[in-house]
Amino acid sequence: MINTTSENPVLRVAPAAPAEAAAYFRASLAFHADVSDVAAVLAAGGDHGFVVVDSRSTESWDQGHVPGAVHLPTALIAEQAEQLLDKSVPVVTYCWGPGCNGATRAALALAELGYHVKEMLGGFEYWVREGFAYETWQGPGRKDADPLTAPVEGECGC
């Protein structure tokens, strides 16, 4: 029996039943992609099976973006998405990071237009913090992995 006393803030509200939890987490994975998973697929080359969309402003894009991403600011999705994206190819959106819901707004706008879409958790911030290469208006860049967000050597294992 799970202890759900009011003295325990973690268990004050009991965990969901296992079947409900499985459904929730399965649904979450249908809506989200991990930065390291996106990076691994892009690094493998070939047909990725999805396109990455940077939904930020031109100034933000110039400051740094995921190599190979399509630049499509959220405000321009309605007028430009059909010229830049194929509805048969899933889209992975990103913005600055976890403190920004721009990727969520972009994903919503694309879904409302009929695109299959996921949001990249962590956005550009975690792309850089995990040590993946990026591009700027001045050329390519890369920073060392932040040991608080990614293993400095080897793989995460999650």
Side-chain angles (χ1 to χ4, degrees):
M1 175 96 188
I2 297 173
N3 179 3
T4 58
T5 65
S6 62
E7 294 84 35
N8 184 332
V10 173
L11 299 175
R12 190 173 297 137
V13 174
E20 290 176 78
Y24 171 83
F25 293 117
R26 187 175 298 107
S28 178
L29 292 171
F31 297 110
H32 302 110
D34 180 90
V35 166
S36 61
D37 290 341
V38 172
V41 172
L42 295 180
D47 180 9
H48 312 306
F50 61 88
V51 64
V52 178
V53 168
D54 184 317
S55 64
R56 301 172 303 147
S57 68
T58 299
E59 295 80 13
S60 299
W61 167 267
D62 288 346
Q63 188 173 325
H65 57 270
V66 172
V70 172
H71 183 222
L72 181 56
T74 302
L76 301 176
I77 288 174
E79 77 180 59
Q80 294 184 4
E82 289 191 14
Q83 294 133 13
L84 297 173
L85 304 171
D86 179 344
K87 284 189 179 176
S88 69
V89 178
V91 177
V92 176
T93 63
Y94 75 89
C95 62
W96 273 112
C100 174
N101 67 1
T104 306
R105 286 190 307 248
L108 173 60
L110 289 164
E112 288 176 338
L113 292 173
Y115 291 88
H116 296 274
V117 64
K118 288 188 174 199
E119 179 181 0
M120 186 172 78
L121 295 176
F124 186 67
E125 175 189 349
Y126 276 73
W127 184 271
V128 174
R129 289 182 76 185
E130 290 191 23
F132 299 119
Y134 56 90
E135 296 174 343
T136 74
W137 70 273
Q138 296 174 311
R142 181 181 222 130
K143 296 184 185 239
D144 290 338
D146 179 341
L148 295 176
T149 64
V152 176
E153 295 180 20
E155 294 183 21
C156 172
C158 21

